[in-house]
Amino acid sequence: MFWKQITECFLASTFLIIFTLPSYADFRVCNTTNQTVGVAIGYRTNTWRSEGWWKIKSNNCQILLEGALNSRFYYLYAEDEDGSDHWDGAVKMCVSDSEFKIDGVKNCFARGFQKFGFQEIDTKNQSNWMVQLTEPTKNPTGTIIP
């Protein structure tokens, strides 16, 4: 009888701990290359927004957006330190040479920004997502593994 009460108490305590812990969700990028990479992200809020630059060292990860993801699609651009390799795509968004948070994707040049092609990432409506940047092999734009 005593062991049954201990077991029930233990199970109830474990249940409370598991279900009262905060759940964490985010959009994270991991760099498995041999160089530091600069990363920018694009996403939709009330308008289109692009943000950057996160510097992610070799074999490290960085959270770009904290909290549960609100969209299915996010957009990513990354390049290595010397600019010889990049991870890009067809979706054009505004960027800047220094740290930026830019609303809108139109008239980038007229507003003093550059325009880069971002790769679309389909999170399949998950609340968190990780992208892994890998070394380019024969593909000069590298690979992104969601």
Side-chain angles (χ1 to χ4, degrees):
M1 185 69 160
F2 173 74
W3 289 110
K4 182 180 177 187
Q5 289 175 331
I6 295 285
T7 302
E8 288 173 354
C9 183
F10 174 76
L11 291 175
S13 298
T14 303
F15 178 82
L16 281 173
I17 289 170
I18 289 172
F19 289 100
T20 59
L21 289 174
S23 61
Y24 295 101
D26 54 47
F27 189 102
R28 173 186 315 259
V29 175
C30 294
N31 174 16
T32 64
T33 72
N34 293 322
Q35 290 193 50
T36 298
V37 296
V39 178
I41 190 168
Y43 54 94
R44 184 97 170 135
T45 59
N46 294 332
T47 182
W48 286 103
R49 174 173 287 162
S50 54
E51 294 185 47
W53 294 103
W54 285 268
K55 299 293 182 194
I56 306 174
K57 293 183 180 183
S58 176
N59 298 308
N60 278 282
C61 297
Q62 177 74 44
I63 295 172
L64 304 190
L65 300 173
E66 290 186 22
L69 303 179
N70 297 319
S71 298
R72 178 175 176 174
F73 296 100
Y74 290 83
Y75 303 86
L76 197 72
Y77 176 86
E79 63 183 35
D80 64 11
E81 285 179 300
D82 60 15
S84 62
D85 292 317
H86 56 277
W87 296 260
D88 62 357
V91 179
K92 304 295 184 191
M93 300 188 106
C94 302
V95 299
S96 179
D97 286 335
S98 57
E99 187 176 319
F100 65 92
K101 186 180 284 189
I102 303 169
D103 288 330
V105 294
K106 294 183 180 178
N107 304 314
C108 296
F109 300 116
R111 295 188 292 149
F113 304 121
Q114 301 171 53
K115 189 177 265 194
F116 286 1
F118 285 58
Q119 184 169 353
E120 183 176 81
I121 306 293
D122 182 356
T123 67
K124 302 181 184 353
N125 287 320
Q126 299 295 312
S127 62
N128 64 350
W129 198 259
M130 184 192 75
V131 172
Q132 183 176 336
L133 300 176
T134 63
E135 285 289 350
T137 51
K138 295 179 182 173
N139 176 3
T141 59
T143 54
I144 294 177
I145 300 173

